Amino acid sequence: MSTKEERRQKVIEVLNKARSMELQAIHQYMNQHYNLDDMDYGELAAKMKLIAIDEMRHAEAFAERVKELGGEPTDHLSKPVAKGQKIDVIYRYDAGEEDDTIDVYNQFLLVCRENGDSISVKLLETIIDEEQAHFNYFDAVKDHIGNLGDTYLSRIAGTSSSTGLAPQGFVITGQD
Ligand code: FE
Ligand code: FE
């Protein structure tokens, strides 16, 4: 039987692995966001930006739980960012990434459960639901590009890249 401290360290380890995957996803999706914007696929760029923001919330949530457990949140990226992807590659790649993430997070959830941390189990359950929503979206766009090709993309070209969100940040919102 492992000690409480040993169990806690195992949970911190998987939460930090998850955080490093989120940090990589943030940078990956930001990279794709500005490339899609540059290609003038505004609607796709806007959704990609919103998904990058989701991943930032995930990275923060994992860090907050790591801190609660007395650990140090990692700033390590799980792998390098893939750059210069063509549009058909982007959506195949991202659907694969989300599918892998769901699988890995389910493994991490079991580690948290085995080590008696129900709070981290709940956190992972919530985040897995959101990764599923990301997968569903990426998979749908991937299918549209595969099935409709230029017919689909010509509808997207030139659309607005507005996210519909008021821009937020320390200076813009005037918080002090
Ligand atoms: Fe995420
Ligand atoms: Fe995701």
Side-chain angles (χ1 to χ4, degrees):
M1 186 65 188
S2 48
T3 67
K4 184 166 78 174
E5 190 49 34
E6 285 166 345
R7 281 182 271 125
R8 192 168 278 198
Q9 287 308 320
K10 283 185 187 139
V11 171
I12 290 170
E13 190 188 323
V14 294
L15 293 177
N16 261 334
K17 280 186 182 164
R19 177 169 155 88
S20 74
M21 291 167 66
E22 298 291 347
L23 294 175
Q24 195 275 342
I26 292 165
H27 289 278
Q28 185 65 64
Y29 297 159
M30 282 199 298
N31 171 279
Q32 294 169 344
H33 159 248
Y34 55 70
N35 284 333
L36 289 165
D37 208 9
D38 190 53
M39 291 185 263
D40 203 24
Y41 292 123
E43 193 183 308
L44 294 176
K47 293 261 171 54
M48 193 64 80
K49 181 173 179 175
L50 291 173
I51 293 173
I53 293 170
D54 286 346
E55 309 302 11
M56 185 177 171
R57 283 192 294 101
H58 297 168
E60 289 282 86
F62 285 129
E64 284 161 10
R65 185 63 187 144
V66 165
K67 291 296 281 185
E68 277 178 343
L69 293 168
E72 182 61 29
T74 185
D75 60 3
H76 176 75
L77 266 59
S78 59
K79 62 182 176 187
V81 172
K83 292 177 185 165
Q85 295 169 317
K86 298 264 191 297
I87 191 158
D88 56 318
V89 175
I90 288 177
Y91 289 91
R92 216 181 323 127
Y93 182 88
D94 292 355
E97 291 293 284
E98 296 288 344
D99 195 52
D100 288 348
T101 299
I102 290 166
D103 182 59
V104 171
Y105 285 7
N106 272 297
Q107 306 299 317
F108 290 170
L109 185 151
L110 292 178
V111 172
C112 293
R113 182 170 287 146
E114 277 164 17
N115 288 282
D117 187 353
S118 64
I119 293 175
S120 296
V121 168
K122 264 187 268 177
L123 176 60
L124 279 158
E125 280 176 347
T126 302
I127 291 177
I128 288 167
D129 281 347
E130 297 193 13
E131 308 304 6
Q132 183 67 50
H134 294 166
F135 171 83
N136 294 350
Y137 169 73
F138 288 137
D139 194 53
V141 175
K142 180 202 76 172
D143 285 349
H144 293 330
I145 293 171
N147 296 332
L148 302 168
D150 289 345
T151 309
Y152 174 73
L153 292 174
S154 66
R155 191 183 67 74
I156 305 286
T159 52
S160 167
S161 63
S162 168
T163 58
L165 293 176
Q168 290 196 336
F170 177 80
V171 172
I172 289 171
T173 54
Q175 305 266 333
D176 53 21

